Amino acid sequence: MSATKIVLLGAPGAGKGTQAAVLAEAIGIPHVSTGDMLRAAVAAETPVGLKAKAVMDAGHLVGDDIVIAIARERLAEGDAQKGFILDGFPRTLAQAEALDELLPRIGSGIDCCLAITVQTEAIVKRLLARAEIEGRADDNEETIRERMRVYDDQTAPLLDYYRGQSLLREVPGMGSVEEVSSAILAELEAA
Ligand code: ADP
């Protein structure tokens, strides 16, 4: 396995969280999800959590400063030194640039950006189904559409950012969990 510092990109509902967990297990590196860390902060009612809750419930992005600080702290931990799968970070150009500045201090830069591609209508369906199962506060239809708009606007430009560095690899996300993870592993082998 050549790539171990991996950014996973994809619209909300593309399956990033599921795939990141499978890959982290398969490769033996930590799964770093800023969404999970923020939800934990909300649940624990930390100062960051109290600030982030309303923003997340509305489907908007938490401020770059907060999220960059969270990611920086997590990536400085011992288990992240041999590699990591970043899920949900970076989500803006400013975050991607911050990550690039941060990484040389903890070793080398990222090896690969994997983008899971799916179609909008399929995603909305998936997210509505997940809303019923998990009851996440940001999984109602209006918020889902808002998160898609935010993705198109703020996060999709990162595809070009990583393409420009020849780090982008795209994997179709519509198969089964196993099909998608095999496709991702094959891309990583080749990266
Ligand atoms: P999704 O399943 O929609 O991809 P996540 O679980 O990754 O969502 O994140 C949930 C919410 O947490 C986001 O809608 C956003 O409000 C906040 N969040 C997570 N990561 C970031 C980030 N890198 N920058 C800003 N906000 C973030």
Side-chain angles (χ1 to χ4, degrees), residues 10-14 16-17 33-36 38-39 52 55-64 67-68 87-92 95 127 130 136 138-139 143 147 150:
K16 288 189 307 289
S33 159
T34 44
D36 285 350
L38 287 166
R39 277 186 289 277
V55 178
M56 291 171 71
D57 285 352
H60 295 140
L61 294 184
V62 175
D64 283 337
V67 180
I68 290 167
D87 160 16
F89 182 90
R91 241 181 171 93
T92 65
Q95 292 177 19
L127 288 175
R130 182 171 81 182
R136 249 173 65 166
D138 59 355
D139 269 351
T143 313
R147 280 155 61 209
V150 169

Side-chain angles (χ1 to χ4, degrees), residues 153-167:
D153 203 44
Q154 313 260 333
T155 309
L158 296 184
L159 295 170
D160 273 341
Y161 181 80
Y162 288 113
R163 194 176 285 123
Q165 299 180 26
S166 304
L167 291 173

